[in-house]
Amino acid sequence: MCGIVGYTGKKEACAVIIDGLKKLEYRGYDSAGVALQKNGRLVIAKGAGSVADLEAKLGDQFKAVTVGIGHTRWATHGRPTDENAHPHSSCNDEIALVHNGIIENYRSLRQWLIDEKGHKFHSETDTEVLAHLVEEYYAGDLLAAVRMSLAMVEGSYGLVVLSSHEPGRIICARQDSPLIIGLGEGENLVASDIPALLAHTRRTIILEDGELASITAQKVDIYNADGCLIEREVFTVTWDIEAAEKGGYDHFMLKEIMEQPAAVKETMRQRIDTTTGKVNLSELDFTAKELSSLEKIHIVACGTAYHAGLLGKAVIEKLAGIPVEVDVASEFRYRQPLLKEKQLVIVISQSGETADTLAALRLARQKGLKVLAITNVVGSSVSREADQVLYTWAGPEIAVASTKAYLTQLVALYLVALYLGETRGSIEPELAAEIVSGLKSLPGHLKTILSEESLSSLRPYCDHLAKWESAFFVGRNLDYPVALEGALKLKEISYIHAEAYPAGELKHGPLALIVRGIPVIAIATQKAVLDKTLSNIHEVNARDGAVFAITQEGFEDVARQVDSVFYLPSINDILAPVLSVVPTQLIAYYTALARGCSIDKPRNLAKSVTVE
Ligand code: F6R
């Protein structure tokens, strides 16, 4: 999620690092910093703010320095402050490091380092434990100290480390967070993303999970998880800088769609206890009494986040047995909702800055209700003003059309529903276990859905859809909010007028618009209403509409009814919306592509709507 650059060579390290960090800044960061090796010491400069602020602070002071590491932060653990900015250093200031990812067991490690080893901490971050661990294990070989430290750690990391005792040497390690080594002539680099390297080299080595590397100006040694020196293939980057920012994809939207398996995994990480299989939302501190006495929940959000809320309603009602009302935030604040004791308000917002959502949050708090925020941005207005926050760990979302943030909002809502159900004793343990195991299977299923083969199977239908100015999305039960989200995505990026209907509503009016060839996307993943949905599909077929069905493996009847069908891996119906929305995102994307639309920045829209 954050940006990392490390350099060792003959050039001015500061300039190389600052330039590299700027190439990564398109994701929108909140703090930046560097650690430089200067005359046998480490110098750290860091703070909240942009890379340009850091550059101004550094000025010309370090022109002679040729080794250093740098970081731009997208706050996760701890607010965007000077102290929480990376690099973090050890007590003796002899180790400095930058880190992307999450150290899951940082609390216990921190306690151990303070109580047993006398370390002093300066930040709220999980990362700082790594600096103290490396100091603890350092005995003359930085690589060995990093390896021993990582053996203590659970979580994910792209980690780059410097020691004042080892001039010219950078150590890095990767687990579930990308790191790429750039191979130069008399210089070498490391970065979390390719754009930061391209001004210096196109020859790269992409580190794999579990690998560590020792980098000097002359040499790059790579070690596998067992500590053996290995040979790695060199990957020559042919993308230009713009394509590289998008990870080689044509648009941020497609990149973000492809990031969904990782985003979903990240949002579940640490929140499902691997030994008990129970949901563990230790970041929330509602009392059991507060939760047991809840009589109603209001979910309030806008746009895509509102669609997540509609699914949240269904899932919370089903798993926790609490009645839920869902409101569009701009309506909630003016409809004088009946807000009473024993009610909870959940606001959902990717940006955490949406004006209407923020106003709804304030209204609820004014009326004395507690507000739980589900948001993607640490330090956002919503996160600061809510009583409790559950972060989605989707990472920065650049495309205006929300995709990966939406999926992580759904996952957060499933976790909340399970948490409420388990605390209130309203969910059968077998059902809870089934949902937890289904949640764990999501990243794998999403990868299957995003395979090359699946993507190309959608393209012919999108080429057909691209010729129309109107389309329908239909679904029943949990498929209906997915239909709404699919229609919204298609509208906003392809400019095709799309309407979503509960499938049973077709014959109450919209059927009049069904003519030969009109695109109708039918979501049919819910067993209990499958036959009903099929009969609605039949109504469209009878009028020669062009139906594209999205269903689960095993529902073979669907293929017999329609020309085009997309099979999702089989999953518990409650979780199917997390999978079924993905083909609708892809349909919107490829249709907009076929129409030559401005996909990442659709006309008239902004990523964050901070006005009413
Ligand atoms: C659609 C989309 C918008 C946002 C809405 C709320 O793709 O992105 O509908 O979902 O503007 O934004 P957040 O979640 O930032 O409050």
Side-chain angles (χ1 to χ4, degrees):
M1 289 186 206
C2 308
I4 286 179
V5 182
Y7 177 80
T8 174
K10 298 177 294 251
K11 293 181 186 150
E12 276 178 45
C14 241
V16 174
I17 293 167
I18 293 289
D19 180 60
L21 293 179
K22 282 185 180 166
K23 297 285 184 317
L24 302 179
E25 222 187 6
Y26 63 91
R27 309 181 212 194
Y29 290 104
D30 50 52
S31 23
V34 291
L36 306 164
Q37 271 184 348
K38 191 182 176 207
N39 306 332
R41 283 179 44 238
L42 296 182
V43 184
I44 294 184
K46 64 178 188 172
S50 65
V51 177
D53 297 337
L54 175 69
E55 187 179 22
K57 198 186 306 178
L58 291 168
D60 283 344
Q61 309 173 59
F62 303 109
K63 273 188 161 312
V65 173
T66 59
V67 185
I69 58 178
H71 189 264
T72 49
R73 178 165 185 254
W74 158 272
T76 53
H77 284 79
R79 291 154 300 142
T81 61
D82 291 351
E83 295 73 31
N84 290 340
H86 297 216
H88 289 284
S89 55
S90 57
C91 291
N92 60 14
D93 289 331
E94 290 171 3
I95 306 289
L97 53 81
V98 294
H99 164 230
N100 288 351
I102 293 176
I103 304 305
E104 292 173 5
N105 56 339
Y106 83 99
R107 284 193 189 84
S108 58
L109 290 172
R110 187 178 165 119
Q111 216 48 54
W112 174 73
L113 285 160
I114 293 172
D115 296 347
E116 309 280 324
K117 304 286 175 184
H119 286 257
K120 292 208 171 17
F121 281 73
H122 303 287
S123 75
E124 302 165 318
T125 63
D126 54 327
T127 297
E128 196 183 342
V129 296
L130 291 171
H132 295 275
L133 277 178
V134 176
E135 174 183 307
E136 199 52 44
Y137 289 116
Y138 189 75
D141 180 4
L142 188 58
L143 179 70
V146 171
R147 176 175 292 120
M148 286 160 84
S149 304
L150 292 178
M152 308 270 295
V153 154
E154 286 160 26
S156 61
Y157 46 82
L159 178 68
V160 181
V161 194
L162 276 187
S163 157
S164 58
H165 296 293
E166 302 191 21
R169 189 184 195 201
I170 294 173
I171 301 297
C172 56
R174 173 198 161 130
Q175 182 63 49
D176 286 339
S177 187
L179 274 185
I180 298 115
I181 295 171
L183 305 170
E185 295 295 330
E187 62 178 3
N188 288 305
L189 300 96
V190 58
S192 54
D193 210 347
I194 287 172
L197 302 174
L198 289 186
H200 309 278
T201 183
R202 292 189 165 269
R203 297 179 64 240
T204 66
I205 294 176
I206 299 172
L207 274 192
E208 298 283 349
D209 282 345
E211 290 178 353
L212 283 94
S214 165
I215 306 174
T216 64
Q218 306 301 337
K219 203 159 175 252
V220 172
D221 288 329
I222 300 187
Y223 300 86
N224 67 12
D226 303 323
C228 304
L229 194 61
I230 51 169
E231 285 295 320
R232 289 296 312 283
E233 206 182 318
V234 174
F235 168 64
T236 303
V237 181
T238 51
W239 312 323
D240 61 19
I241 187 85
E242 212 190 313
E245 283 180 354
K246 295 171 190 146
Y249 295 106
D250 290 339
H251 298 93
F252 282 113
M253 184 180 174
L254 188 57
K255 175 174 183 268
E256 287 160 7
I257 289 174
M258 294 302 183
E259 284 169 353
Q260 292 183 121
V264 161
K265 191 170 169 194
E266 213 45 51
T267 301
M268 289 190 293
R269 191 189 282 282
Q270 269 192 302
R271 289 168 170 164
I272 296 177
D273 189 316
T274 39
T275 40
T276 61
K278 285 202 184 306
V279 168
N280 171 12
L281 298 184
S282 54
E283 62 244 75
L284 304 184
D285 70 353
F286 291 107
T287 63
K289 189 164 163 243
E290 262 174 323
L291 297 181
S292 319
S293 60
L294 274 184
E295 289 174 357
K296 187 189 264 187
I297 293 177
H298 298 266
I299 300 183
V300 190
C302 299
T304 285
Y306 167 74
H307 296 154
L310 292 174
L311 283 163
K313 168 186 165 73
V315 174
I316 293 172
E317 289 185 345
K318 214 168 221 147
L319 302 185
I322 308 171
V324 182
E325 277 183 24
V326 193
D327 276 87
V328 167
S330 55
E331 291 295 313
F332 182 78
R333 56 193 294 203
Y334 296 117
R335 80 163 167 95
Q336 297 176 329
L338 292 174
L339 300 178
K340 297 198 176 137
E341 260 186 275
K342 300 187 181 167
Q343 296 185 352
L344 170 72
V345 172
I346 301 179
V347 296
I348 310 171
S349 174
Q350 186 285 128
S351 62
E353 301 296 348
T354 302
D356 285 315
T357 309
L358 198 53
L361 177 161
R362 288 177 182 153
L363 173 70
R365 294 204 71 219
Q366 242 173 42
K367 300 271 179 193
L369 264 65
K370 281 213 169 159
V371 176
L372 164 64
I374 295 178
T375 183
N376 197 35
V377 182
V378 177
S380 58
S381 305
V382 159
S383 77
R384 283 186 275 112
E385 295 192 30
D387 297 279
Q388 313 244 354
V389 185
L390 189 65
Y391 287 106
T392 50
W393 297 128
E397 196 176 60
I398 312 287
V400 164
S402 183
T403 52
K404 62 176 181 171
Y406 173 73
L407 246 66
T408 58
Q409 287 162 356
L410 293 187
V411 168
L413 286 161
Y414 286 101
L415 294 174
V416 167
L418 285 166
Y419 164 74
L420 291 171
E422 281 170 6
T423 319
R424 292 162 60 96
S426 51
I427 182 168
E428 291 298 324
E430 297 74 34
L431 178 59
E434 202 181 319
I435 305 297
V436 166
S437 117
L439 281 171
K440 289 194 202 152
S441 71
L442 288 173
H445 287 336
L446 288 166
K447 279 189 192 153
T448 309
I449 294 171
L450 293 169
S451 69
E452 272 304 319
E453 197 188 339
S454 304
L455 302 196
S456 49
S457 74
L458 290 163
R459 301 292 290 265
Y461 191 78
C462 298
D463 291 340
H464 171 74
L465 179 50
K467 296 186 199 111
W468 285 76
E469 291 307 322
S470 184
F472 288 90
F473 285 73
V474 296
R476 285 171 178 259
N477 208 319
L478 296 189
D479 290 331
Y480 173 53
V482 178
L484 285 167
E485 176 55 13
L488 175 63
K489 219 84 313 172
L490 186 69
K491 283 186 255 230
E492 67 178 322
I493 65 164
S494 77
Y495 314 143
I496 295 173
H497 175 236
E499 290 210 56
Y501 275 95
E505 277 288 289
L506 276 182
K507 55 180 147 332
H508 298 286
L511 209 51
L513 294 171
I514 302 300
V515 291
R516 176 181 289 276
I518 193 165
V520 178
I521 291 101
I523 298 120
T525 68
Q526 303 293 300
K527 257 180 237 89
V529 287
L530 186 64
D531 286 345
K532 310 269 176 213
T533 310
L534 281 175
S535 74
N536 301 129
I537 288 175
H538 192 69
E539 288 160 5
V540 176
N541 277 341
R543 285 145 188 98
D544 292 325
V547 179
F548 184 92
I550 298 169
T551 188
Q552 295 198 43
E553 265 164 18
F555 294 6
E556 305 311 333
D557 274 358
V558 179
R560 283 192 276 278
Q561 306 275 338
V562 296
D563 296 331
S564 313
V565 61
F566 188 100
Y567 275 103
L568 306 166
S570 167
I571 193 152
N572 185 307
D573 289 10
I574 299 179
L575 293 168
V578 187
L579 303 183
S580 58
V581 76
V582 179
T584 71
Q585 297 168 340
L586 292 164
I587 287 173
Y589 176 79
Y590 287 119
T591 305
L593 193 68
R595 286 165 71 97
C597 297
S598 162
I599 292 182
D600 286 334
K601 289 189 181 145
R603 69 184 177 211
N604 309 337
L605 299 177
K607 183 67 186 158
S608 180
V609 186
T610 53
V611 290
E612 233 193 281

